[in-house]
Amino acid sequence: MDDWEETENAEVVSVISCASTEGSREHFWKDDSSGKSSGGWRGRWGRFTDSLFSRADEKSNGTGTITGTSSFNQDWEFFKNTEGQQGGIRGRGRGRGFGRENRSDFNGDSNGFCESEFRGVSRGGHGGRGGRGRGFRRGTEGGSRGGFREDGEQRGRGGFRGGYRGKGENNFFQEKENKELKQRDEGSADKPKVSYIPPALAEDENSVFAHYETGINFDKYDDILVNVSGTNPPQAIMTFEEAALCDSLSKNVSRSGYVKPTPVQKHGIPIISAGRDLMACAQTGSGKTAAFLLPILHQLMIGGASSSFFSELQEPKAIIVAPTRELINQIFLEARKFAYGTVVRPVVVYGGVSIRHQVSDLNKGCNVLCGTPGRLMDMIERGKGGLSKVQYFVLDEADRMLDMGFEPDMRRLVASPGMPSREGRQTLMFSATFPEEIQKLAADFLKPDYLFLAVGIVGGACSDVEQTFIEVGKFSKREQLLDLVKTCGNERTIVFVEKKRQADFIATFLCQENVPTTSIHGDREQWQREQALADFKYGKCPVLVATSVAARGLDIPDVQHVVNFDLPGSIDEYVHRIGRTGRCGNVGRAVSFFDTDVDGHLSRPLISILSKAQQEVPPWLEQLAFSSASSGGNFNANKNNFAFTDSRKGQQRGSSFQGNTVQSQVTAVLQPPPEEEEEWE
Ligand SMILES: Nc1ncnc2c1ncn2[C@@H]1O[C@H](COP(=O)(O)OP(=O)(O)OP(=O)(O)O)[C@@H](O)[C@H]1O
């Protein structure tokens, strides 16, 4: 997906951050709606703070980075001004987005709350000419414009033009770059541009190596059964010393608080160092990222990695892809941490951020290129990233990267000019889940003698997460959720919902109940997503309502609690979601609302997941699973749709660590794509 699509999709109003700046918000809504809305919501909404207003104010610092802080009122001044001058806040949605969606979702709700409350919003939207959906978004852009303009920079085409000063580098390539990009931009004049530039990263050692502590169950990793299948697997290492990582890397590993390797690292590091292709499956939060980063970085460091500073075409030796922006950014930060103080330079590219900014960063040199598929392909097609030197091709969340959504992109990537064939590169795939179908497909990307590493039960849930289920009907979920989060106090909680608009509704609802909450989903602008994560991470909003965009890979410290407000369509998505807690030996809790009308098909696979993770199975769930099976439900006990071992089973096997081959009968029902597919990168 490119910049344009991202922005154009942002139809639905992005609400929500937390409930801390009442006065300011009140002021905003009053001004905005007076005489336009039915007024019913004015008072209540006064308590909210949209991330727009809780975030750092947009001010150009002359390098294009958005920095600084400011009060909401200043932002509101931008809005007012912008409305007058550009019509920015009026929008054109005619009540699209917020009002309408609220109504369709909550009409008929038994307590009537949303019906009356949100209809007010909707009416306000119409009265205000254009609803909150688009009108609001345009307003956001207007705010940004105003911000840059105020700094005395260029008028007109948005924050980027106003704030960015790439020419500061004053070099030939930058000039050329700008010209080319300008040409492209002009060719797409009808499309809004993405101008967001993330804040500059802190470079000091403490920030780079900030990490959380391993938990009480970290040593239990040693008891997990591991199976490596394939021919001649190398010997596992037991310590980081045995990995013989080069000095700087070794030092960075210690600075990161790593004392001993996790099982996926014990096996993965020597496999990768031996030059073997790998498909690795290990439970959530068990250190898969370092398992691939360390041997790659080691190799690049001892190989004397060099990249041409300010070269127009960067040819990285490693390409890492992941399905979401936040995840790829996290992987990049891990790579940056381990490469700290060395010549190896990782770079990240992902959608929702100014492409010029990323090109300019890429031009400074790149040995490891981390990217989401859309932006990565864009960089390659623009001739900014070359593939001919690729030695390592890594797919994190590989099952997701090869499912229906991303498979074509991955095939396009490996078929791109210059990309070495599978014989000429090393391909590494990692995930906590690996359905058999995907394993078979993955084999197209791997050398035939790849190794399959299974740590614990393939596709199994992390046993450090206590899983409970509450049988609940659609209309009681919100009240149940409120009870839950209120009893959690300040515990960091992620609430997963199925739909993007639902994420905003639930976050709004919790804010109204004085639970500081924020939300993350594919319809939010990138800065809002990053702000939401930061607000959650640093405790400003201890509750994050998220769609599946946050289900995989995100490693947020101290998430004690995951709530599945809506269960996902597939069992592997469930495993990833609950894996946001109970990481790296820490314990966590997951509570799932089970609506028998909707979630019945999950009863059998859930029971299997629960029992494999030594969790209690609720009798009602067992009964439901039994009755759905006996009544010809969609569970087929004999048909294993998902594989939990190497899909080549039956072929030759290599070593079996601890003499065990891990097998599971967990079965999941393949789901059709969700009604509203979450937008991935
Ligand atoms: N050997 C280790 N010692 C201490 N901490 C570690 C070690 N390995 C990894 N970690 C930390 O554990 C956390 C989880 O690691 P990581 O994010 O790589 O898990 P993962 O297996 O990729 O999870 P997921 O399946 O959710 O993507 C990170 O904060 C990471 O820095």
Side-chain angles (χ1 to χ4, degrees):
M1 180 188 302
D2 65 25
D3 293 357
W4 322 127
E5 283 169 78
E6 170 64 20
T7 312
E8 283 173 348
N9 279 331
E11 293 270 332
V12 181
V13 70
S14 298
V15 201
I16 328 304
S17 207
C18 77
S20 57
T21 54
E22 303 186 8
S24 305
R25 192 45 147 174
E26 181 100 46
H27 171 57
F28 169 69
W29 288 109
K30 211 169 8 189
D31 271 9
D32 181 40
S33 59
S34 64
K36 297 171 187 171
S37 89
S38 60
W41 47 277
R42 196 189 298 161
R44 302 195 70 143
W45 280 74
R47 289 202 300 266
F48 308 152
T49 303
D50 188 286
S51 282
L52 173 66
F53 306 111
S54 70
R55 79 183 176 119
D57 188 10
E58 290 185 350
K59 283 194 175 168
S60 166
N61 62 5
T63 59
T65 306
I66 293 168
T67 56
T69 53
S70 165
S71 71
F72 153 78
N73 285 332
Q74 281 170 301
D75 283 315
W76 168 232
E77 287 307 314
F78 290 157
F79 269 79
K80 279 203 296 191
N81 295 338
T82 309
E83 183 179 21
Q85 291 161 17
Q86 300 179 12
I89 206 160
R90 274 188 215 122
R92 18 177 156 103
R94 283 211 143 255
R96 282 173 86 177
F98 207 47
R100 209 175 59 186
E101 283 164 9
N102 269 293
R103 239 191 290 175
S104 66
D105 256 35
F106 287 100
N107 253 355
D109 190 334
S110 55
N111 66 14
F113 164 75
C114 274
E115 174 67 4
S116 56
E117 192 75 3
F118 288 108
R119 195 173 278 164
V121 175
S122 182
R123 280 195 206 120
H126 282 291
R129 289 224 272 142
R132 301 287 145 216
R134 258 191 116 90
F136 199 71
R137 187 167 68 82
R138 285 174 62 87
T140 304
E141 287 162 10
S144 166
R145 285 175 193 151
F148 285 106
R149 208 167 51 235
E150 275 209 341
D151 275 4
E153 300 280 345
Q154 221 172 316
R155 277 184 82 112
R157 296 200 61 191
F160 183 82
R161 296 244 163 133
Y164 180 74
R165 218 187 274 151
K167 282 188 185 173
E169 310 291 354
N170 233 350
N171 65 75
F172 168 77
F173 292 118
Q174 195 65 59
E175 291 279 352
K176 195 159 174 276
E177 192 78 2
N178 283 343
K179 243 186 231 164
E180 282 174 15
L181 291 168
K182 190 162 173 269
Q183 277 162 8
R184 278 173 185 261
D185 290 350
E186 282 165 359
S188 357
D190 54 323
K191 294 176 176 177
K193 282 211 293 263
V194 173
S195 57
Y196 172 61
I197 297 173
L201 292 170
E203 298 284 347
D204 65 287
E205 211 174 304
N206 285 344
S207 309
V208 172
F209 289 98
H211 64 270
Y212 62 87
E213 297 302 315
T214 56
I216 46 165
N217 288 338
F218 188 81
D219 285 337
K220 284 196 191 160
Y221 281 143
D222 293 339
D223 303 331
I224 296 181
L225 302 179
V226 179
N227 180 257
V228 185
S229 47
T231 50
N232 302 322
Q235 190 74 32
I237 54 162
M238 289 300 133
T239 62
F240 281 120
E241 288 69 42
E242 282 179 55
L245 302 173
C246 60
D247 281 353
S248 327
L249 184 54
S250 215
K251 222 163 148 189
N252 290 342
V253 168
S254 307
R255 282 173 177 164
S256 306
Y258 290 22
V259 176
K260 72 171 180 186
T262 62
V264 69
Q265 293 162 0
K266 287 178 180 171
H267 291 263
I269 292 172
I271 290 174
I272 298 170
S273 297
R276 301 292 297 270
D277 280 8
L278 174 65
M279 186 186 286
C281 195
Q283 73 180 45
T284 51
S286 66
K288 293 186 284 294
T289 316
F292 62 78
L293 282 180
L294 295 181
I296 293 176
L297 292 173
H298 168 74
Q299 211 53 47
L300 297 186
M301 286 172 195
I302 60 168
S306 63
S307 60
S308 1
F309 197 65
F310 288 118
S311 166
E312 197 182 358
L313 172 72
Q314 290 295 327
E315 298 189 290
K317 293 203 168 153
I319 298 269
I320 302 171
V321 286
T324 64
R325 298 165 182 183
E326 288 74 20
L327 176 56
I328 200 66
N329 201 33
Q330 182 182 294
I331 294 169
F332 158 72
L333 291 174
E334 289 287 288
R336 187 182 81 123
K337 173 175 86 177
F338 292 130
Y340 187 77
T342 74
V343 290
V344 174
R345 187 166 195 273
V347 173
V348 67
V349 295
Y350 56 87
V353 171
S354 157
I355 198 154
R356 283 186 210 208
H357 169 72
Q358 288 180 343
V359 166
S360 144
D361 191 29
L362 190 60
N363 283 349
K364 290 178 190 157
C366 172
N367 309 104
V368 178
L369 181 54
C370 310
T372 46
R375 186 55 68 92
L376 190 63
M377 286 308 296
D378 198 1
M379 288 294 184
I380 291 160
E381 283 161 9
R382 284 171 190 249
K384 306 303 168 200
L387 297 170
S388 60
K389 301 218 171 109
V390 170
Q391 292 172 5
Y392 303 97
F393 177 43
V394 184
L395 280 77
D396 195 24
E397 307 299 341
D399 55 332
R400 176 70 186 129
M401 298 311 300
L402 295 173
D403 74 6
M404 284 183 299
F406 285 121
E407 189 212 342
D409 281 340
M410 291 302 97
R411 292 202 183 272
R412 205 152 61 94
L413 184 56
V414 294
S416 295
M419 181 69 154
S421 68
R422 62 182 182 174
E423 279 70 33
R425 62 169 197 256
Q426 211 175 330
T427 305
L428 311 167
M429 302 190 179
F430 284 80
S431 185
T433 52
F434 247 122
E436 186 170 343
E437 291 81 354
I438 303 286
Q439 282 192 42
K440 285 181 180 149
L441 221 153
D444 289 352
F445 294 78
L446 295 155
K447 295 186 197 95
D449 70 342
Y450 74 86
L451 293 171
F452 182 87
L453 166 63
V455 180
I457 296 165
V458 179
C462 172
S463 52
D464 293 329
V465 181
E466 181 195 315
Q467 304 173 54
T468 50
F469 288 83
I470 301 176
E471 205 178 358
V472 58
K474 186 176 169 184
F475 298 118
S476 335
K477 283 184 176 181
R478 275 184 305 148
E479 299 314 318
Q480 286 272 5
L481 176 66
L482 188 59
D483 285 352
L484 261 176
V485 294
K486 289 227 155 146
T487 54
C488 288
N490 269 342
E491 278 189 2
R492 227 156 281 176
T493 303
I494 303 183
V495 179
F496 281 105
V497 296
E498 223 16 35
K499 304 250 163 84
K500 291 177 261 192
R501 56 177 178 245
Q502 181 83 330
D504 280 341
F505 288 135
I506 298 304
T508 304
F509 168 69
L510 291 175
C511 282
Q512 284 177 315
E513 298 295 338
N514 292 320
V515 179
T517 303
T518 186
S519 72
I520 187 166
H521 58 74
D523 273 349
R524 299 206 83 186
E525 301 283 352
Q526 187 54 29
W527 66 261
Q528 292 174 313
R529 286 163 64 156
E530 288 176 17
Q531 184 67 48
L533 269 190
D535 285 349
F536 181 58
K537 212 166 170 176
Y538 299 113
K540 185 174 173 189
C541 297
V543 179
L544 174 71
V545 185
T547 56
S548 281
V549 80
R552 284 177 178 254
L554 290 191
D555 183 52
I556 302 167
D558 300 324
V559 176
Q560 290 104 331
H561 209 177
V562 167
V563 178
N564 281 308
F565 184 87
D566 301 314
L567 275 164
S570 73
I571 197 68
D572 49 344
E573 209 60 21
Y574 171 81
V575 168
H576 286 281
R577 281 185 183 185
I578 67 166
R580 294 318 98 212
T581 184
R583 297 176 71 76
C584 205
N586 291 287
V587 291
R589 279 178 298 141
V591 177
S592 302
F593 294 164
F594 192 101
D595 179 351
T596 39
D597 291 341
V598 182
D599 305 316
H601 65 277
L602 285 172
S603 55
R604 294 293 289 251
L606 280 173
I607 287 172
S608 205
I609 287 284
L610 287 170
S611 37
K612 302 288 177 231
Q614 294 99 46
Q615 301 283 310
E616 206 176 307
V617 178
W620 59 264
L621 188 63
E622 222 161 7
Q623 205 167 354
L624 184 74
F626 180 75
S627 62
S628 68
S630 61
S631 64
N634 54 8
F635 173 75
N636 181 348
N638 296 319
K639 186 171 176 253
N640 258 347
N641 287 320
F642 278 44
F644 294 89
T645 54
D646 186 349
S647 68
R648 300 168 299 178
K649 57 184 178 272
Q651 297 174 20
Q652 82 285 34
R653 288 214 183 274
S655 79
S656 187
F657 187 62
Q658 294 186 347
N660 285 291
T661 296
V662 182
Q663 288 187 333
S664 158
Q665 295 83 44
V666 181
T667 301
V669 178
L670 279 176
Q671 292 299 303
E675 190 189 316
E676 183 190 76
E677 177 75 340
E678 179 54 53
E679 247 168 63
W680 300 84
E681 176 49 20

